[in-house]
Amino acid sequence: MDGNGRWGVRRGIGRSAGHCAGVDAIRRIVEAAIRQGIGTLTLYGFSSDNWGRPAAEVGAIMALIRHYVGSEADRLAAAGVRLTVIGRRDRLPAGLAAAIGAAEAATAAGTRLHLRIAVDYSAREAILAAARRAGSDCSREDFSALVIGERDVPVVDLVIRAGGEKRLSDFLLWESAYAELYFTDRLWPDFEAEDLAEALTEFRSRHRRFGLVPAHAAAA
């Protein structure tokens, strides 16, 4: 969800207002993802490196996350959406972790879409933490569950980066080993259902080989 702050600055309404507009985009894209039949949608809400931003902006983002999980839980549950939050919780403001837990419990029965929001998240830290817990005979599947934090979460098929940047920024590095990458200059608050559909169309046109070669080439 990149470009919220820039979106607000360009309109002269400030970075915090841009983050608020980003929440409206979440609602649109969650609804569009359900219509598109997407099973799991992971959004990058706040990275562990984002703590280095100005304190006022960090505070506004944390307040916005708390408002979102508190106000949207019933709507998500009614739509059949299961919400989980990935990342550290020990550094979150008082009350936010509890609000997240309550929203997760309220939406636990959702089966139409698994919405995951990354908050205080670092893929490198997740991999490092998994390595510390894994034994010497840990299988790839067991290690993957340690990195992700739960089993039965599928690997990432498509990474969409809004905002014009062309990098992964420490996001789902383990899960994205063979993900297709899609970059757009569209800032997240402007991201619409049509943009998601365009990314999915591009994704479906690509030939995914997962390190192998096409059957006709292997037989040549």
Side-chain angles (χ1 to χ4, degrees), residues 46-67:
F46 187 85
S47 80
S48 295
D49 292 328
N50 287 157
W51 289 113
R53 293 188 175 188
E57 181 176 351
V58 170
I61 293 172
M62 291 295 138
L64 191 58
I65 293 171
R66 181 169 182 176
H67 175 74

Side-chain angles (χ1 to χ4, degrees), residues 4-166:
N4 293 337
R6 282 175 285 158
W7 187 91
V9 170
R10 289 177 185 179
R11 284 160 177 74
I13 56 177
R15 296 179 60 86
S16 294
H19 293 302
C20 291
V23 170
D24 294 333
I26 294 176
R27 296 189 183 101
R28 293 195 303 270
I29 299 308
V30 166
E31 293 171 358
I34 293 172
R35 293 195 299 270
Q36 290 283 353
I38 293 173
T40 302
L41 174 66
T42 306
L43 302 176
Y44 209 173
F46 187 85
S47 80
S48 295
D49 292 328
N50 287 157
W51 289 113
R53 293 188 175 188
E57 181 176 351
V58 170
I61 293 172
M62 291 295 138
L64 191 58
I65 293 171
R66 181 169 182 176
H67 175 74
Y68 176 81
V69 299
S71 64
E72 294 292 309
D74 289 344
R75 184 202 303 261
L76 294 174
V81 178
R82 175 190 172 201
L83 171 67
T84 59
V85 174
I86 62 174
R88 294 181 58 170
R89 302 192 186 185
D90 58 302
R91 298 188 294 194
L92 299 181
L96 178 53
I100 289 171
E104 289 175 330
T107 62
T111 58
R112 297 184 69 192
L113 173 70
H114 185 183
L115 173 63
R116 303 164 76 228
I117 300 179
V119 178
D120 195 1
Y121 174 82
S122 161
R124 290 174 294 181
E125 289 297 325
I127 294 170
L128 180 59
R132 288 169 176 157
R133 296 194 300 271
S136 59
D137 59 347
C138 185
S139 68
R140 178 183 291 189
E141 292 74 19
D142 289 339
F143 188 79
S144 182
L146 289 172
V147 172
I148 297 171
E150 59 180 308
R151 292 187 181 273
D152 301 324
V153 173
V155 297
V156 175
D157 289 313
L158 174 64
V159 174
I160 301 173
R161 177 75 189 250
E165 306 292 355
K166 295 179 174 61

